[in-house]
Amino acid sequence: MTTVTRDAVATMLEARSVAVVGASPREGSFGEMMMLELTRAGFDGDIYPVNPKYEEILGHRAYPSVSEVPVSVDIAILGVSNSRIEGALTEAADSGARSAAIFASCYEDPKDGVPPLTERLAKIARDAGMAVCGGNCMGFLNMENGLRVCGYVEPERPAGSVAFISHSGSAFSAMAYNNRDLEFNLLVSAGQELVTTAADYMTYALERESTKAVGLFIETVRDPDKFHLALERAAERDIPVVALKVGREEGAREMVQAHSGALAGEDGAYEALFDAYGVQRVNSLHEMCDTLELFTRNGRRAGPGAFASIHDSGGERALMIDSAAEVGVPFAQISDETKKRLEESLEEGLPAVNPLDAWGTVEEARRVFTECIEVLLDDPDTAALAFAVDMTSEDDEEFSNAAFAERTLVDRDKPVAVLSNLSSAIHAPDAKKLREIGIPVLEDTLTGLAAFKHLFDYRDFHARPPAGKAALPGDDTRSRWRERLSTGEPLAEVEGLSLLSDYGVPVVGAEPAASAEEARAAAEKVGYPVAVKTAEPGVLHKSDAGGVKLGLETDEDVSAGYEELAASLGPRVVVAPMVSPGVEFALGVVRDPQFGPLVLVAAGGIFVELLKDRRLALPPVDEAGARRLLDGLKTRPLLDGVRGAPSADIDSIARAIVAVSSLASDLGEHLEALDANPLIAGPDGCVVVDALVIPRRV
């Protein structure tokens, strides 16, 4: 956990006095580049080059060491090698420097009994209360005050409204060099985040009035509590956060004891976290740029409704339909009145539909497109519109797609954009002209559509009502379960079902048995037909071990089934009534080491890990959130009934998810994992028939 303060981060990012350790006048050197980058954008603070070899560097008096600089600087830029970095940071801290930037990789060969170099550097900084950019970073660019703490050539750009924070130096540079006029107020290459994390930079950016969106390129979150708070602040300020989280396939969680843990994987917490705070997750830098451009250049949030598009090609209209289905963007259902108005403008043979191919004869094109865009935007179900055309250059400027866009899209009340199908065919001068007047130019069919989906998803996130408090059992019951779980001893199946039941999850009645006679008595108690399942400790997944006997209808069946299980696995069993067939789901709780308990909803039964169809959420989850989790499953249509099967009682499943969420919120600190699988859902409700509970060992 870092201890860096907001003031320290602000001092670093707004530094007015800078010591450049390793500065040099030698042409082409890293030391020269640090100085050139610092001075090239009109930075008017105090600069103190530090290098004992020189008396003056690029017009600034040089000093032999940081300790001889006449003031305690706001930031010490440390352009030295790994072998010298510890000494340089120590000297900067001792001289009163309030922050530092470290470009070096901070690697050294391991030494017995000596903490790693990164840990030693972090301790130096924390003890001095210093913010540190890096190590192994490319620095930062504060466009608003001309502060460029960087040892690499980065372009000069006007200050904008996007803050971009990256764990990748290359992504930092790529965004700085973007040729689509996406402009930033802050660009940060965070590197190893020795003490100052992405959450710190994001918190700073969210306090600036100029910030209209935040872009994140992250590998991990090193300060979960601050990250939570930063995302919460972004949601409060209505500032969209667009995140490219990499490494989702790397090192999936090895938790073979519980299906919930295996399904959550390393990426599950981010899925849940981003959903909880409305973070828009993208899959590429291209999608990142399209999304940031649509959010910031357009300047309007989508209202109710869906997507409309107008085209000059029937083939590309078909491409749009296919791509929208792939991305998950719904088309607006335009009204009969809208269709009638379109027919009045369209040439004969062109259907009045959405998406719309409006291309007819050249002579009428300008009028037709202008009128049809007006009509589509007037439709009450149109939330946003794309003028979906290839932005190629045209000899006739008046006839160009850019000219159409300029006349028809500027200053609209609803979000609009030009969406080009081929980025390499975009005529840059035309795109630049449109962007300058506030019209976004999205540069690919799929990523452009994804940008519109993010626009709609962000709208829907802010339309969610606050989650209410879930019902909990009485204090005595809660205390009893806390005490029981805190022992760390595994729960037997009947005990696990009892835990779920106490928190309001519907469960099957079950009785333990340790002999054939007890098994028969249990079957009589719960009612035939029954299932007999092994309850031997260590057999966590009963079906996989051949530990389940189903549909036993007589005492003889129960005796035979019991004897077979006792001989192969051991004498302890559970007897439960058979449940009517239905759709099988899995509910669960898994504890993430960074973000705590997560609620899991998945396709259940024997397919739980085979299909890997799951959704995760941070608790608490209300009924609306529970329905969103269900709707996110590929197997969700099964609940509506297929091939004559009745539809399931979805309300009962949603209530069960809410109950599991309450359990996770209340007892999550004591749980490693919980599986309620399967939950069998039918027209008359749902019921959990098996439970696995693994307490957390502290």
Side-chain angles (χ1 to χ4, degrees):
M1 181 68 66
T2 62
T3 57
V4 64
T5 66
R6 290 189 182 188
D7 287 345
V9 175
T11 297
M12 177 174 70
L13 298 175
E14 299 174 5
R16 302 301 301 152
S17 55
V18 184
V20 186
V21 181
S24 172
R26 184 165 53 85
E27 188 174 352
S29 67
F30 188 78
E32 182 199 42
M33 197 60 64
M34 288 190 295
M35 290 291 293
L36 291 175
E37 284 298 294
L38 185 59
T39 57
R40 67 187 296 206
F43 175 69
D44 59 358
D46 298 322
I47 300 174
Y48 302 95
V50 175
N51 192 323
K53 296 179 181 179
Y54 306 99
E55 293 185 359
E56 182 181 294
I57 297 175
L58 301 183
H60 297 271
R61 178 186 170 184
Y63 296 85
S65 65
V66 174
S67 61
E68 296 183 54
V69 171
V71 300
S72 296
V73 295
D74 290 337
I75 185 169
I77 306 176
L78 306 181
V80 299
S81 63
N82 287 334
S83 61
R84 296 175 54 204
I85 194 64
E86 186 173 9
L89 184 61
T90 299
E91 186 179 5
D94 290 344
S95 70
R98 288 175 281 277
S99 66
I102 298 176
F103 303 114
S105 68
C106 304
Y107 174 81
E108 70 175 4
D109 292 332
K111 301 175 183 177
D112 290 340
V114 178
L117 177 58
T118 51
E119 291 183 13
R120 303 198 307 270
L121 294 171
K123 185 177 187 307
I124 293 167
R126 280 196 295 266
D127 289 348
M130 298 173 70
V132 175
C133 185
N136 199 27
C137 73
M138 293 180 68
F140 63 86
L141 308 175
N142 189 331
M143 304 298 195
E144 289 190 327
N145 66 359
L147 179 61
R148 302 171 65 86
V149 175
C150 189
Y152 310 88
V153 177
E154 302 295 346
E156 293 184 52
R157 309 188 72 100
S161 60
V162 177
F164 183 72
I165 301 152
S166 177
H167 285 156
S168 163
S170 293
F172 160 87
S173 189
M175 294 296 274
Y177 273 99
N178 82 87
N179 63 1
R180 57 194 299 164
D181 296 330
L182 192 61
E183 293 170 352
F184 305 89
N185 59 2
L186 180 69
L187 277 161
V188 179
S189 168
Q192 296 162 328
E193 299 181 327
L194 294 175
V195 294
T196 308
T197 67
D200 292 309
Y201 297 118
M202 185 162 39
T203 299
Y204 169 84
L206 292 169
E207 292 172 349
R208 302 185 74 81
E209 286 301 318
S210 59
T211 302
K212 304 305 179 188
V214 175
L216 301 176
F217 185 111
I218 56 173
E219 298 166 354
T220 189
V221 169
R222 295 184 175 93
D223 195 343
D225 291 340
K226 275 189 180 179
F227 199 74
H228 267 282
L229 291 173
L231 295 182
E232 184 177 330
R233 178 61 174 150
E236 289 172 352
R237 281 204 59 199
D238 194 7
I239 295 176
V241 177
V242 182
L244 178 53
K245 166 65 177 71
V246 297
R248 70 174 75 195
E249 301 298 334
E250 186 176 337
R253 178 178 284 109
E254 294 290 339
M255 192 184 293
V256 296
Q257 289 182 303
H259 291 300
S260 53
L263 283 175
E266 296 293 340
D267 200 55
Y270 291 97
E271 174 186 319
L273 181 72
F274 291 166
D275 178 74
Y277 292 105
V279 176
Q280 300 305 305
R281 186 171 189 173
V282 297
N283 295 306
S284 67
L285 286 173
H286 202 162
E287 185 181 340
M288 168 82 75
C289 287
D290 273 355
T291 303
L292 288 173
E293 180 163 348
L294 188 59
F295 272 122
T296 58
R297 187 161 278 123
N298 186 81
R300 295 168 182 81
R301 185 193 286 180
F307 178 66
S309 62
I310 184 169
H311 305 255
D312 63 358
S313 162
E316 288 185 348
R317 172 183 173 276
L319 173 65
M320 179 67 74
I321 294 171
D322 292 343
S323 299
E326 180 179 343
V327 173
V329 177
F331 284 104
Q333 301 300 305
I334 59 176
S335 68
D336 290 340
E337 180 184 350
T338 296
K339 292 176 183 177
K340 182 178 179 181
R341 290 177 62 193
L342 289 174
E343 287 171 351
E344 293 172 355
S345 296
L346 292 168
E347 294 190 12
E348 188 175 351
L350 293 174
V353 295
N354 177 39
L356 177 66
D357 173 17
W359 182 256
T361 61
V362 172
E363 290 76 12
E364 291 294 306
R366 191 164 107 182
R367 175 190 61 80
V368 170
F369 271 83
T370 301
E371 293 174 356
C372 289
I373 287 172
E374 193 78 38
V375 171
L376 285 172
L377 283 170
D378 282 347
D379 190 273
D381 199 43
T382 297
L385 177 139
F387 180 41
V389 293
D390 299 314
M391 285 289 295
T392 55
S393 62
E394 300 285 351
D395 292 333
D396 184 349
E397 185 175 334
E398 278 296 301
F399 178 65
S400 71
N401 286 328
F404 274 133
E406 184 178 355
R407 284 190 294 269
T408 56
L409 299 185
V410 72
D411 293 330
R412 289 293 180 174
D413 293 332
K414 295 180 179 180
V416 294
V418 172
L419 193 158
S420 182
N421 297 289
L422 184 63
S423 60
S424 60
I426 292 175
H427 187 230
D430 283 348
K432 182 177 181 63
K433 184 177 182 182
L434 292 177
R435 286 164 171 155
E436 286 175 348
I437 59 173
I439 298 174
V441 179
L442 312 183
E443 297 194 353
D444 180 82
T445 312
L446 288 174
T447 60
L449 278 165
F452 276 102
K453 184 176 190 303
H454 292 308
L455 193 72
F456 297 148
D457 287 347
Y458 188 71
R459 169 201 65 190
D460 295 344
F461 165 75
H462 277 280
R464 296 180 192 174
K469 282 192 174 182
L472 292 171
D475 290 342
D476 290 345
T477 300
R478 297 167 64 198
S479 296
R480 172 167 53 83
W481 282 116
R482 278 199 188 88
E483 184 177 345
R484 170 64 183 88
L485 292 169
S486 65
T487 67
E489 295 299 319
L491 276 65
E493 179 184 342
V494 171
E495 197 176 10
L497 290 169
S498 177
L499 168 63
L500 289 167
S501 178
D502 280 349
Y503 276 80
V505 182
V507 301
V508 71
E511 295 290 329
S515 68
E517 182 179 2
E518 290 181 6
R520 290 192 297 273
E524 292 290 342
K525 182 176 180 180
V526 302
Y528 283 105
V530 298
V532 179
K533 301 176 285 185
T534 183
E536 287 296 323
V539 184
L540 300 177
H541 303 304
K542 303 174 182 64
S543 297
D544 296 345
V548 180
K549 302 295 180 183
L550 300 175
L552 307 181
E553 297 185 346
T554 66
D555 285 356
E556 291 76 14
D557 291 341
V558 169
S559 295
Y562 173 83
E563 296 297 347
E564 187 175 338
L565 291 177
S568 60
L569 296 172
R572 283 173 283 196
V573 299
V574 170
V575 181
M578 292 295 295
V579 174
S580 300
V583 183
E584 295 189 354
F585 283 88
L587 306 184
V589 178
V590 60
R591 179 178 179 79
D592 182 82
Q594 284 186 300
F595 298 107
L598 309 175
V599 176
L600 175 138
V601 180
I606 62 173
F607 300 110
V608 61
E609 287 193 48
L610 179 64
L611 296 180
K612 291 183 171 55
D613 180 21
R614 95 292 188 269
R615 301 289 294 174
L616 293 119
L618 294 180
V621 176
D622 59 12
E623 287 199 30
R627 286 177 173 272
R628 286 195 302 272
L629 290 173
L630 285 172
D631 290 344
L633 297 175
K634 297 173 185 174
T635 45
R636 165 63 178 80
L638 294 175
L639 293 174
D640 297 326
V642 293
R643 296 191 175 181
S647 58
D649 181 354
I650 296 175
D651 289 342
S652 70
I653 308 171
R655 289 192 295 270
I657 295 170
V658 171
V660 169
S661 164
S662 299
L663 192 159
S665 296
D666 197 35
L667 301 177
E669 63 182 305
H670 300 291
L671 285 172
E672 194 62 47
L674 179 151
D675 286 347
N677 177 40
L679 174 143
I680 299 177
D684 299 320
C686 67
V687 62
V688 172
V689 301
D690 200 352
L692 169 65
V693 179
I694 303 174
R696 182 185 179 201
R697 291 187 178 274
V698 181

